[in-house]
PDB file of all heavy atoms in Angstrom:
ATOM      1  N   PHE A1389     -17.042 -35.383 -35.988  1.00 96.00           N
ATOM      2  CA  PHE A1389     -18.055 -34.984 -36.964  1.00 96.00           C
ATOM      3  C   PHE A1389     -18.866 -33.775 -36.496  1.00 96.00           C
ATOM      4  O   PHE A1389     -19.741 -33.298 -37.210  1.00 96.00           O
ATOM      5  CB  PHE A1389     -19.007 -36.155 -37.234  1.00 96.00           C
ATOM      6  CG  PHE A1389     -18.392 -37.267 -38.032  1.00 96.00           C
ATOM      7  CD1 PHE A1389     -17.709 -38.288 -37.405  1.00 96.00           C
ATOM      8  CD2 PHE A1389     -18.495 -37.287 -39.425  1.00 96.00           C
ATOM      9  CE1 PHE A1389     -17.141 -39.321 -38.127  1.00 96.00           C
ATOM     10  CE2 PHE A1389     -17.929 -38.310 -40.163  1.00 96.00           C
ATOM     11  CZ  PHE A1389     -17.242 -39.335 -39.521  1.00 96.00           C
ATOM     12  N   ALA A1390     -18.621 -33.291 -35.276  1.00 96.00           N
ATOM     13  CA  ALA A1390     -19.401 -32.190 -34.724  1.00 96.00           C
ATOM     14  C   ALA A1390     -18.879 -30.842 -35.213  1.00 96.00           C
ATOM     15  O   ALA A1390     -17.748 -30.722 -35.698  1.00 96.00           O
ATOM     16  CB  ALA A1390     -19.350 -32.243 -33.198  1.00 96.00           C
ATOM     17  N   ALA A1391     -19.699 -29.820 -35.079  1.00 95.00           N
ATOM     18  CA  ALA A1391     -19.307 -28.465 -35.442  1.00 95.00           C
ATOM     19  C   ALA A1391     -18.603 -27.809 -34.259  1.00 95.00           C
ATOM     20  O   ALA A1391     -19.196 -27.619 -33.204  1.00 95.00           O
ATOM     21  CB  ALA A1391     -20.539 -27.660 -35.837  1.00 95.00           C
ATOM     22  N   GLY A1392     -17.336 -27.472 -34.441  1.00 95.00           N
ATOM     23  CA  GLY A1392     -16.598 -26.799 -33.383  1.00 95.00           C
ATOM     24  C   GLY A1392     -15.534 -27.673 -32.753  1.00 95.00           C
ATOM     25  O   GLY A1392     -15.320 -28.822 -33.146  1.00 95.00           O
ATOM     26  N   THR A1393     -14.860 -27.133 -31.761  1.00 96.00           N
ATOM     27  CA  THR A1393     -13.768 -27.819 -31.083  1.00 96.00           C
ATOM     28  C   THR A1393     -14.248 -28.360 -29.747  1.00 96.00           C
ATOM     29  O   THR A1393     -14.732 -27.604 -28.900  1.00 96.00           O
ATOM     30  CB  THR A1393     -12.581 -26.867 -30.860  1.00 96.00           C
ATOM     31  OG1 THR A1393     -12.075 -26.452 -32.133  1.00 96.00           O
ATOM     32  CG2 THR A1393     -11.472 -27.555 -30.084  1.00 96.00           C
ATOM     33  N   SER A1394     -14.096 -29.654 -29.559  1.00 98.00           N
ATOM     34  CA  SER A1394     -14.498 -30.327 -28.328  1.00 98.00           C
ATOM     35  C   SER A1394     -13.289 -30.575 -27.441  1.00 98.00           C
ATOM     36  O   SER A1394     -12.181 -30.821 -27.941  1.00 98.00           O
ATOM     37  CB  SER A1394     -15.183 -31.660 -28.630  1.00 98.00           C
ATOM     38  OG  SER A1394     -16.394 -31.479 -29.334  1.00 98.00           O
ATOM     39  N   ARG A1395     -13.504 -30.547 -26.134  1.00 98.00           N
ATOM     40  CA  ARG A1395     -12.459 -30.881 -25.177  1.00 98.00           C
ATOM     41  C   ARG A1395     -13.005 -31.937 -24.218  1.00 98.00           C
ATOM     42  O   ARG A1395     -14.002 -31.703 -23.533  1.00 98.00           O
ATOM     43  CB  ARG A1395     -11.990 -29.655 -24.400  1.00 98.00           C
ATOM     44  CG  ARG A1395     -10.876 -29.961 -23.383  1.00 98.00           C
ATOM     45  CD  ARG A1395     -10.412 -28.703 -22.659  1.00 98.00           C
ATOM     46  NE  ARG A1395      -9.663 -27.820 -23.529  1.00 98.00           N
ATOM     47  CZ  ARG A1395      -8.344 -27.837 -23.658  1.00 98.00           C
ATOM     48  NH1 ARG A1395      -7.608 -28.723 -22.971  1.00 98.00           N
ATOM     49  NH2 ARG A1395      -7.737 -26.987 -24.461  1.00 98.00           N
ATOM     50  N   LEU A1396     -12.343 -33.074 -24.166  1.00 97.00           N
ATOM     51  CA  LEU A1396     -12.698 -34.166 -23.261  1.00 97.00           C
ATOM     52  C   LEU A1396     -11.641 -34.180 -22.175  1.00 97.00           C
ATOM     53  O   LEU A1396     -10.473 -34.493 -22.430  1.00 97.00           O
ATOM     54  CB  LEU A1396     -12.745 -35.504 -24.010  1.00 97.00           C
ATOM     55  CG  LEU A1396     -13.478 -35.499 -25.369  1.00 97.00           C
ATOM     56  CD1 LEU A1396     -13.515 -36.902 -25.954  1.00 97.00           C
ATOM     57  CD2 LEU A1396     -14.877 -34.922 -25.244  1.00 97.00           C
ATOM     58  N   ARG A1397     -12.027 -33.879 -20.942  1.00 96.00           N
ATOM     59  CA  ARG A1397     -11.074 -33.611 -19.874  1.00 96.00           C
ATOM     60  C   ARG A1397     -10.831 -34.827 -18.975  1.00 96.00           C
ATOM     61  O   ARG A1397     -11.719 -35.651 -18.767  1.00 96.00           O
ATOM     62  CB  ARG A1397     -11.577 -32.441 -19.012  1.00 96.00           C
ATOM     63  CG  ARG A1397     -11.753 -31.141 -19.786  1.00 96.00           C
ATOM     64  CD  ARG A1397     -12.291 -30.035 -18.900  1.00 96.00           C
ATOM     65  NE  ARG A1397     -12.550 -28.803 -19.663  1.00 96.00           N
ATOM     66  CZ  ARG A1397     -11.653 -27.850 -19.873  1.00 96.00           C
ATOM     67  NH1 ARG A1397     -10.439 -27.964 -19.364  1.00 96.00           N
ATOM     68  NH2 ARG A1397     -11.975 -26.774 -20.580  1.00 96.00           N
ATOM     69  N   GLY A1398      -9.597 -34.892 -18.443  1.00 92.00           N
ATOM     70  CA  GLY A1398      -9.282 -35.850 -17.386  1.00 92.00           C
ATOM     71  C   GLY A1398      -9.301 -37.303 -17.820  1.00 92.00           C
ATOM     72  O   GLY A1398      -9.897 -38.143 -17.148  1.00 92.00           O
ATOM     73  N   LEU A1399      -8.612 -37.636 -18.919  1.00 92.00           N
ATOM     74  CA  LEU A1399      -8.672 -38.985 -19.476  1.00 92.00           C
ATOM     75  C   LEU A1399      -7.439 -39.831 -19.160  1.00 92.00           C
ATOM     76  O   LEU A1399      -7.105 -40.753 -19.906  1.00 92.00           O
ATOM     77  CB  LEU A1399      -8.870 -38.912 -21.000  1.00 92.00           C
ATOM     78  CG  LEU A1399     -10.073 -38.100 -21.483  1.00 92.00           C
ATOM     79  CD1 LEU A1399     -10.268 -38.278 -22.979  1.00 92.00           C
ATOM     80  CD2 LEU A1399     -11.329 -38.467 -20.727  1.00 92.00           C
ATOM     81  N   GLY A1400      -6.759 -39.556 -18.064  1.00 86.00           N
ATOM     82  CA  GLY A1400      -5.570 -40.328 -17.720  1.00 86.00           C
ATOM     83  C   GLY A1400      -5.838 -41.806 -17.568  1.00 86.00           C
ATOM     84  O   GLY A1400      -4.974 -42.643 -17.875  1.00 86.00           O
ATOM     85  N   GLU A1401      -7.046 -42.172 -17.116  1.00 83.00           N
ATOM     86  CA  GLU A1401      -7.389 -43.588 -16.934  1.00 83.00           C
ATOM     87  C   GLU A1401      -7.326 -44.365 -18.243  1.00 83.00           C
ATOM     88  O   GLU A1401      -7.068 -45.574 -18.257  1.00 83.00           O
ATOM     89  CB  GLU A1401      -8.797 -43.679 -16.324  1.00 83.00           C
ATOM     90  CG  GLU A1401      -9.340 -45.084 -16.138  1.00 83.00           C
ATOM     91  CD  GLU A1401      -8.656 -45.853 -15.019  1.00 83.00           C
ATOM     92  OE1 GLU A1401      -7.822 -45.258 -14.299  1.00 83.00           O
ATOM     93  OE2 GLU A1401      -8.946 -47.046 -14.878  1.00 83.00           O
ATOM     94  N   LEU A1402      -7.527 -43.681 -19.373  1.00 85.00           N
ATOM     95  CA  LEU A1402      -7.504 -44.371 -20.669  1.00 85.00           C
ATOM     96  C   LEU A1402      -6.113 -44.892 -21.025  1.00 85.00           C
ATOM     97  O   LEU A1402      -5.978 -45.754 -21.896  1.00 85.00           O
ATOM     98  CB  LEU A1402      -7.981 -43.434 -21.778  1.00 85.00           C
ATOM     99  CG  LEU A1402      -9.453 -43.022 -21.763  1.00 85.00           C
ATOM    100  CD1 LEU A1402      -9.776 -42.168 -22.973  1.00 85.00           C
ATOM    101  CD2 LEU A1402     -10.363 -44.232 -21.715  1.00 85.00           C
ATOM    102  N   ARG A1403      -5.087 -44.393 -20.355  1.00 81.00           N
ATOM    103  CA  ARG A1403      -3.728 -44.841 -20.690  1.00 81.00           C
ATOM    104  C   ARG A1403      -3.458 -46.254 -20.210  1.00 81.00           C
ATOM    105  O   ARG A1403      -2.464 -46.866 -20.620  1.00 81.00           O
ATOM    106  CB  ARG A1403      -2.701 -43.883 -20.072  1.00 81.00           C
ATOM    107  CG  ARG A1403      -2.831 -42.443 -20.565  1.00 81.00           C
ATOM    108  CD  ARG A1403      -1.705 -41.573 -20.044  1.00 81.00           C
ATOM    109  NE  ARG A1403      -1.929 -40.161 -20.303  1.00 81.00           N
ATOM    110  CZ  ARG A1403      -1.653 -39.547 -21.444  1.00 81.00           C
ATOM    111  NH1 ARG A1403      -1.146 -40.239 -22.452  1.00 81.00           N
ATOM    112  NH2 ARG A1403      -1.882 -38.248 -21.584  1.00 81.00           N
ATOM    113  N   VAL A1404      -4.311 -46.819 -19.339  1.00 67.00           N
ATOM    114  CA  VAL A1404      -4.058 -48.154 -18.786  1.00 67.00           C
ATOM    115  C   VAL A1404      -5.206 -49.098 -19.109  1.00 67.00           C
ATOM    116  O   VAL A1404      -5.522 -50.012 -18.362  1.00 67.00           O
ATOM    117  CB  VAL A1404      -3.824 -48.103 -17.260  1.00 67.00           C
ATOM    118  CG1 VAL A1404      -2.519 -47.395 -16.970  1.00 67.00           C
ATOM    119  CG2 VAL A1404      -4.977 -47.402 -16.537  1.00 67.00           C
ATOM    120  N   LYS A1405      -5.847 -48.897 -20.255  1.00 65.00           N
ATOM    121  CA  LYS A1405      -6.874 -49.816 -20.724  1.00 65.00           C
ATOM    122  C   LYS A1405      -6.230 -50.897 -21.586  1.00 65.00           C
ATOM    123  O   LYS A1405      -5.026 -51.148 -21.506  1.00 65.00           O
ATOM    124  CB  LYS A1405      -7.955 -49.036 -21.476  1.00 65.00           C
ATOM    125  CG  LYS A1405      -8.828 -48.171 -20.563  1.00 65.00           C
ATOM    126  CD  LYS A1405      -9.684 -49.038 -19.652  1.00 65.00           C
ATOM    127  CE  LYS A1405     -10.637 -48.238 -18.809  1.00 65.00           C
ATOM    128  NZ  LYS A1405     -11.494 -49.099 -17.958  1.00 65.00           N
ATOM    129  N   GLU A1406      -7.046 -51.561 -22.455  1.00 59.00           N
ATOM    130  CA  GLU A1406      -6.523 -52.659 -23.274  1.00 59.00           C
ATOM    131  C   GLU A1406      -5.298 -52.238 -24.076  1.00 59.00           C
ATOM    132  O   GLU A1406      -4.391 -53.023 -24.327  1.00 59.00           O
ATOM    133  CB  GLU A1406      -7.619 -53.186 -24.214  1.00 59.00           C
ATOM    134  CG  GLU A1406      -8.629 -54.093 -23.557  1.00 59.00           C
ATOM    135  CD  GLU A1406      -9.704 -53.346 -22.779  1.00 59.00           C
ATOM    136  OE1 GLU A1406      -9.536 -52.153 -22.469  1.00 59.00           O
ATOM    137  OE2 GLU A1406     -10.724 -53.979 -22.452  1.00 59.00           O
ATOM    138  N   SER A1407      -5.300 -51.008 -24.538  1.00 64.00           N
ATOM    139  CA  SER A1407      -4.106 -50.375 -25.096  1.00 64.00           C
ATOM    140  C   SER A1407      -3.957 -49.066 -24.332  1.00 64.00           C
ATOM    141  O   SER A1407      -4.722 -48.788 -23.419  1.00 64.00           O
ATOM    142  CB  SER A1407      -4.320 -50.103 -26.599  1.00 64.00           C
ATOM    143  OG  SER A1407      -5.424 -49.226 -26.786  1.00 64.00           O
ATOM    144  N   ASP A1408      -2.931 -48.257 -24.687  1.00 86.00           N
ATOM    145  CA  ASP A1408      -2.970 -46.877 -24.228  1.00 86.00           C
ATOM    146  C   ASP A1408      -4.083 -46.253 -25.051  1.00 86.00           C
ATOM    147  O   ASP A1408      -3.869 -45.755 -26.158  1.00 86.00           O
ATOM    148  CB  ASP A1408      -1.629 -46.183 -24.477  1.00 86.00           C
ATOM    149  CG  ASP A1408      -1.624 -44.719 -24.040  1.00 86.00           C
ATOM    150  OD1 ASP A1408      -2.727 -44.138 -23.902  1.00 86.00           O
ATOM    151  OD2 ASP A1408      -0.539 -44.165 -23.860  1.00 86.00           O
ATOM    152  N   ARG A1409      -5.300 -46.324 -24.521  1.00 91.00           N
ATOM    153  CA  ARG A1409      -6.478 -45.991 -25.320  1.00 91.00           C
ATOM    154  C   ARG A1409      -6.512 -44.525 -25.696  1.00 91.00           C
ATOM    155  O   ARG A1409      -7.094 -44.157 -26.718  1.00 91.00           O
ATOM    156  CB  ARG A1409      -7.738 -46.412 -24.569  1.00 91.00           C
ATOM    157  CG  ARG A1409      -8.958 -46.548 -25.448  1.00 91.00           C
ATOM    158  CD  ARG A1409     -10.122 -47.164 -24.695  1.00 91.00           C
ATOM    159  NE  ARG A1409     -10.140 -48.602 -24.822  1.00 91.00           N
ATOM    160  CZ  ARG A1409     -10.937 -49.398 -24.106  1.00 91.00           C
ATOM    161  NH1 ARG A1409     -11.735 -48.872 -23.195  1.00 91.00           N
ATOM    162  NH2 ARG A1409     -10.923 -50.701 -24.279  1.00 91.00           N
ATOM    163  N   LEU A1410      -5.884 -43.670 -24.915  1.00 93.00           N
ATOM    164  CA  LEU A1410      -5.840 -42.258 -25.275  1.00 93.00           C
ATOM    165  C   LEU A1410      -4.970 -42.064 -26.510  1.00 93.00           C
ATOM    166  O   LEU A1410      -5.380 -41.423 -27.484  1.00 93.00           O
ATOM    167  CB  LEU A1410      -5.310 -41.436 -24.097  1.00 93.00           C
ATOM    168  CG  LEU A1410      -5.285 -39.916 -24.276  1.00 93.00           C
ATOM    169  CD1 LEU A1410      -6.657 -39.389 -24.644  1.00 93.00           C
ATOM    170  CD2 LEU A1410      -4.764 -39.242 -23.012  1.00 93.00           C
ATOM    171  N   ALA A1411      -3.767 -42.639 -26.499  1.00 93.00           N
ATOM    172  CA  ALA A1411      -2.884 -42.535 -27.662  1.00 93.00           C
ATOM    173  C   ALA A1411      -3.499 -43.217 -28.883  1.00 93.00           C
ATOM    174  O   ALA A1411      -3.392 -42.723 -30.008  1.00 93.00           O
ATOM    175  CB  ALA A1411      -1.525 -43.150 -27.338  1.00 93.00           C
ATOM    176  N   SER A1412      -4.161 -44.355 -28.670  1.00 94.00           N
ATOM    177  CA  SER A1412      -4.763 -45.083 -29.790  1.00 94.00           C
ATOM    178  C   SER A1412      -5.911 -44.295 -30.407  1.00 94.00           C
ATOM    179  O   SER A1412      -6.110 -44.318 -31.633  1.00 94.00           O
ATOM    180  CB  SER A1412      -5.261 -46.448 -29.319  1.00 94.00           C
ATOM    181  OG  SER A1412      -4.191 -47.248 -28.859  1.00 94.00           O
ATOM    182  N   THR A1413      -6.683 -43.598 -29.576  1.00 96.00           N
ATOM    183  CA  THR A1413      -7.779 -42.784 -30.097  1.00 96.00           C
ATOM    184  C   THR A1413      -7.245 -41.623 -30.919  1.00 96.00           C
ATOM    185  O   THR A1413      -7.777 -41.301 -31.992  1.00 96.00           O
ATOM    186  CB  THR A1413      -8.655 -42.275 -28.942  1.00 96.00           C
ATOM    187  OG1 THR A1413      -9.203 -43.403 -28.237  1.00 96.00           O
ATOM    188  CG2 THR A1413      -9.793 -41.410 -29.453  1.00 96.00           C
ATOM    189  N   VAL A1414      -6.182 -40.989 -30.424  1.00 96.00           N
ATOM    190  CA  VAL A1414      -5.546 -39.916 -31.192  1.00 96.00           C
ATOM    191  C   VAL A1414      -5.071 -40.447 -32.538  1.00 96.00           C
ATOM    192  O   VAL A1414      -5.307 -39.831 -33.594  1.00 96.00           O
ATOM    193  CB  VAL A1414      -4.375 -39.306 -30.397  1.00 96.00           C
ATOM    194  CG1 VAL A1414      -3.550 -38.364 -31.281  1.00 96.00           C
ATOM    195  CG2 VAL A1414      -4.896 -38.566 -29.174  1.00 96.00           C
ATOM    196  N   ALA A1415      -4.409 -41.613 -32.530  1.00 96.00           N
ATOM    197  CA  ALA A1415      -3.900 -42.187 -33.777  1.00 96.00           C
ATOM    198  C   ALA A1415      -5.030 -42.522 -34.742  1.00 96.00           C
ATOM    199  O   ALA A1415      -4.909 -42.310 -35.954  1.00 96.00           O
ATOM    200  CB  ALA A1415      -3.076 -43.437 -33.464  1.00 96.00           C
ATOM    201  N   LEU A1416      -6.139 -43.057 -34.222  1.00 97.00           N
ATOM    202  CA  LEU A1416      -7.296 -43.375 -35.056  1.00 97.00           C
ATOM    203  C   LEU A1416      -7.808 -42.131 -35.774  1.00 97.00           C
ATOM    204  O   LEU A1416      -8.045 -42.145 -36.998  1.00 97.00           O
ATOM    205  CB  LEU A1416      -8.401 -43.971 -34.173  1.00 97.00           C
ATOM    206  CG  LEU A1416      -9.845 -43.966 -34.712  1.00 97.00           C
ATOM    207  CD1 LEU A1416      -9.956 -44.846 -35.941  1.00 97.00           C
ATOM    208  CD2 LEU A1416     -10.826 -44.406 -33.639  1.00 97.00           C
ATOM    209  N   LEU A1417      -7.970 -41.039 -35.040  1.00 97.00           N
ATOM    210  CA  LEU A1417      -8.502 -39.824 -35.641  1.00 97.00           C
ATOM    211  C   LEU A1417      -7.509 -39.187 -36.609  1.00 97.00           C
ATOM    212  O   LEU A1417      -7.882 -38.767 -37.719  1.00 97.00           O
ATOM    213  CB  LEU A1417      -8.889 -38.831 -34.545  1.00 97.00           C
ATOM    214  CG  LEU A1417     -10.011 -39.274 -33.595  1.00 97.00           C
ATOM    215  CD1 LEU A1417     -10.270 -38.199 -32.549  1.00 97.00           C
ATOM    216  CD2 LEU A1417     -11.275 -39.612 -34.347  1.00 97.00           C
ATOM    217  N   GLN A1418      -6.247 -39.111 -36.202  1.00 97.00           N
ATOM    218  CA  GLN A1418      -5.253 -38.480 -37.083  1.00 97.00           C
ATOM    219  C   GLN A1418      -5.092 -39.235 -38.390  1.00 97.00           C
ATOM    220  O   GLN A1418      -4.927 -38.630 -39.460  1.00 97.00           O
ATOM    221  CB  GLN A1418      -3.913 -38.389 -36.357  1.00 97.00           C
ATOM    222  CG  GLN A1418      -3.889 -37.338 -35.250  1.00 97.00           C
ATOM    223  CD  GLN A1418      -2.561 -37.269 -34.529  1.00 97.00           C
ATOM    224  OE1 GLN A1418      -1.788 -38.226 -34.524  1.00 97.00           O
ATOM    225  NE2 GLN A1418      -2.281 -36.130 -33.898  1.00 97.00           N
ATOM    226  N   ALA A1419      -5.149 -40.566 -38.323  1.00 97.00           N
ATOM    227  CA  ALA A1419      -5.010 -41.368 -39.539  1.00 97.00           C
ATOM    228  C   ALA A1419      -6.142 -41.106 -40.524  1.00 97.00           C
ATOM    229  O   ALA A1419      -6.016 -41.399 -41.716  1.00 97.00           O
ATOM    230  CB  ALA A1419      -4.959 -42.852 -39.189  1.00 97.00           C
ATOM    231  N   ASN A1420      -7.243 -40.550 -40.027  1.00 97.00           N
ATOM    232  CA  ASN A1420      -8.401 -40.322 -40.884  1.00 97.00           C
ATOM    233  C   ASN A1420      -8.735 -38.842 -41.060  1.00 97.00           C
ATOM    234  O   ASN A1420      -9.874 -38.468 -41.297  1.00 97.00           O
ATOM    235  CB  ASN A1420      -9.603 -41.079 -40.310  1.00 97.00           C
ATOM    236  CG  ASN A1420      -9.471 -42.571 -40.519  1.00 97.00           C
ATOM    237  OD1 ASN A1420      -9.699 -43.066 -41.606  1.00 97.00           O
ATOM    238  ND2 ASN A1420      -9.076 -43.284 -39.463  1.00 97.00           N
ATOM    239  N   GLY A1421      -7.696 -38.015 -40.942  1.00 95.00           N
ATOM    240  CA  GLY A1421      -7.808 -36.618 -41.334  1.00 95.00           C
ATOM    241  C   GLY A1421      -8.418 -35.690 -40.315  1.00 95.00           C
ATOM    242  O   GLY A1421      -8.792 -34.561 -40.651  1.00 95.00           O
ATOM    243  N   VAL A1422      -8.509 -36.108 -39.049  1.00 95.00           N
ATOM    244  CA  VAL A1422      -9.097 -35.268 -38.009  1.00 95.00           C
ATOM    245  C   VAL A1422      -7.989 -34.541 -37.263  1.00 95.00           C
ATOM    246  O   VAL A1422      -6.988 -35.150 -36.874  1.00 95.00           O
ATOM    247  CB  VAL A1422      -9.922 -36.114 -37.019  1.00 95.00           C
ATOM    248  CG1 VAL A1422     -10.546 -35.221 -35.936  1.00 95.00           C
ATOM    249  CG2 VAL A1422     -11.011 -36.891 -37.758  1.00 95.00           C
ATOM    250  N   GLU A1423      -8.156 -33.256 -37.048  1.00 95.00           N
ATOM    251  CA  GLU A1423      -7.210 -32.487 -36.255  1.00 95.00           C
ATOM    252  C   GLU A1423      -7.478 -32.748 -34.774  1.00 95.00           C
ATOM    253  O   GLU A1423      -8.579 -32.495 -34.279  1.00 95.00           O
ATOM    254  CB  GLU A1423      -7.352 -30.992 -36.548  1.00 95.00           C
ATOM    255  CG  GLU A1423      -6.972 -30.599 -37.963  1.00 95.00           C
ATOM    256  CD  GLU A1423      -7.128 -29.108 -38.185  1.00 95.00           C
ATOM    257  OE1 GLU A1423      -6.794 -28.331 -37.259  1.00 95.00           O
ATOM    258  OE2 GLU A1423      -7.615 -28.714 -39.251  1.00 95.00           O
ATOM    259  N   VAL A1424      -6.485 -33.253 -34.058  1.00 96.00           N
ATOM    260  CA  VAL A1424      -6.664 -33.639 -32.671  1.00 96.00           C
ATOM    261  C   VAL A1424      -5.334 -33.528 -31.946  1.00 96.00           C
ATOM    262  O   VAL A1424      -4.278 -33.762 -32.541  1.00 96.00           O
ATOM    263  CB  VAL A1424      -7.233 -35.077 -32.568  1.00 96.00           C
ATOM    264  CG1 VAL A1424      -6.332 -36.070 -33.293  1.00 96.00           C
ATOM    265  CG2 VAL A1424      -7.444 -35.502 -31.129  1.00 96.00           C
ATOM    266  N   GLU A1425      -5.375 -33.165 -30.669  1.00 96.00           N
ATOM    267  CA  GLU A1425      -4.154 -33.161 -29.865  1.00 96.00           C
ATOM    268  C   GLU A1425      -4.519 -33.431 -28.417  1.00 96.00           C
ATOM    269  O   GLU A1425      -5.681 -33.316 -28.015  1.00 96.00           O
ATOM    270  CB  GLU A1425      -3.400 -31.834 -29.980  1.00 96.00           C
ATOM    271  CG  GLU A1425      -4.160 -30.632 -29.478  1.00 96.00           C
ATOM    272  CD  GLU A1425      -4.858 -29.865 -30.597  1.00 96.00           C
ATOM    273  OE1 GLU A1425      -4.771 -30.266 -31.779  1.00 96.00           O
ATOM    274  OE2 GLU A1425      -5.510 -28.853 -30.270  1.00 96.00           O
ATOM    275  N   THR A1426      -3.500 -33.830 -27.659  1.00 94.00           N
ATOM    276  CA  THR A1426      -3.671 -33.982 -26.215  1.00 94.00           C
ATOM    277  C   THR A1426      -2.982 -32.818 -25.518  1.00 94.00           C
ATOM    278  O   THR A1426      -1.923 -32.358 -25.955  1.00 94.00           O
ATOM    279  CB  THR A1426      -3.079 -35.307 -25.708  1.00 94.00           C
ATOM    280  OG1 THR A1426      -1.699 -35.387 -26.081  1.00 94.00           O
ATOM    281  CG2 THR A1426      -3.829 -36.492 -26.285  1.00 94.00           C
ATOM    282  N   GLU A1427      -3.615 -32.378 -24.432  1.00 94.00           N
ATOM    283  CA  GLU A1427      -3.024 -31.365 -23.560  1.00 94.00           C
ATOM    284  C   GLU A1427      -3.100 -31.924 -22.155  1.00 94.00           C
ATOM    285  O   GLU A1427      -4.159 -31.903 -21.521  1.00 94.00           O
ATOM    286  CB  GLU A1427      -3.773 -30.040 -23.681  1.00 94.00           C
ATOM    287  CG  GLU A1427      -3.663 -29.408 -25.070  1.00 94.00           C
ATOM    288  CD  GLU A1427      -4.423 -28.097 -25.195  1.00 94.00           C
ATOM    289  OE1 GLU A1427      -5.004 -27.648 -24.166  1.00 94.00           O
ATOM    290  OE2 GLU A1427      -4.432 -27.512 -26.300  1.00 94.00           O
ATOM    291  N   GLY A1428      -1.981 -32.500 -21.684  1.00 92.00           N
ATOM    292  CA  GLY A1428      -2.010 -33.233 -20.424  1.00 92.00           C
ATOM    293  C   GLY A1428      -2.887 -34.463 -20.585  1.00 92.00           C
ATOM    294  O   GLY A1428      -2.656 -35.279 -21.486  1.00 92.00           O
ATOM    295  N   ASP A1429      -3.914 -34.587 -19.744  1.00 93.00           N
ATOM    296  CA  ASP A1429      -4.859 -35.694 -19.861  1.00 93.00           C
ATOM    297  C   ASP A1429      -6.138 -35.292 -20.578  1.00 93.00           C
ATOM    298  O   ASP A1429      -7.130 -36.027 -20.542  1.00 93.00           O
ATOM    299  CB  ASP A1429      -5.211 -36.235 -18.459  1.00 93.00           C
ATOM    300  CG  ASP A1429      -4.072 -37.029 -17.841  1.00 93.00           C
ATOM    301  OD1 ASP A1429      -3.221 -37.535 -18.600  1.00 93.00           O
ATOM    302  OD2 ASP A1429      -4.026 -37.134 -16.600  1.00 93.00           O
ATOM    303  N   ASP A1430      -6.136 -34.137 -21.250  1.00 95.00           N
ATOM    304  CA  ASP A1430      -7.294 -33.699 -22.022  1.00 95.00           C
ATOM    305  C   ASP A1430      -7.113 -34.056 -23.491  1.00 95.00           C
ATOM    306  O   ASP A1430      -5.988 -34.038 -24.017  1.00 95.00           O
ATOM    307  CB  ASP A1430      -7.485 -32.182 -21.918  1.00 95.00           C
ATOM    308  CG  ASP A1430      -7.854 -31.728 -20.523  1.00 95.00           C
ATOM    309  OD1 ASP A1430      -8.030 -32.589 -19.638  1.00 95.00           O
ATOM    310  OD2 ASP A1430      -7.972 -30.502 -20.318  1.00 95.00           O
ATOM    311  N   LEU A1431      -8.235 -34.362 -24.136  1.00 97.00           N
ATOM    312  CA  LEU A1431      -8.243 -34.639 -25.567  1.00 97.00           C
ATOM    313  C   LEU A1431      -9.008 -33.512 -26.252  1.00 97.00           C
ATOM    314  O   LEU A1431     -10.162 -33.228 -25.895  1.00 97.00           O
ATOM    315  CB  LEU A1431      -8.914 -35.988 -25.837  1.00 97.00           C
ATOM    316  CG  LEU A1431      -8.942 -36.499 -27.278  1.00 97.00           C
ATOM    317  CD1 LEU A1431      -7.530 -36.693 -27.806  1.00 97.00           C
ATOM    318  CD2 LEU A1431      -9.727 -37.809 -27.354  1.00 97.00           C
TER     319      LEU A1431
END
């Protein structure tokens, strides 16, 4: 919801949470019309 492009760096730890939380977060946003991608461990 913010103005501009955000980068959240170094999120490899999220891949071993209750789900692959990084992939799940990407799916949550994409399903609701948000442009998002991962670059390595950055969101």
Side-chain angles (χ1 to χ4, degrees):
F1389 288 88
T1393 297
S1394 296
R1395 180 178 289 267
L1396 315 183
R1397 300 178 184 271
L1399 305 188
E1401 177 72 6
L1402 292 184
R1403 300 186 190 277
V1404 292
K1405 289 293 184 178
E1406 282 80 343
S1407 61
D1408 179 340
R1409 199 171 269 170
L1410 184 55
S1412 297
T1413 300
V1414 170
L1416 161 65
L1417 297 179
Q1418 288 179 337
N1420 287 283
V1422 180
E1423 294 180 39
V1424 57
E1425 62 263 1
T1426 56
E1427 295 179 3
D1429 287 337
D1430 294 357
L1431 184 61

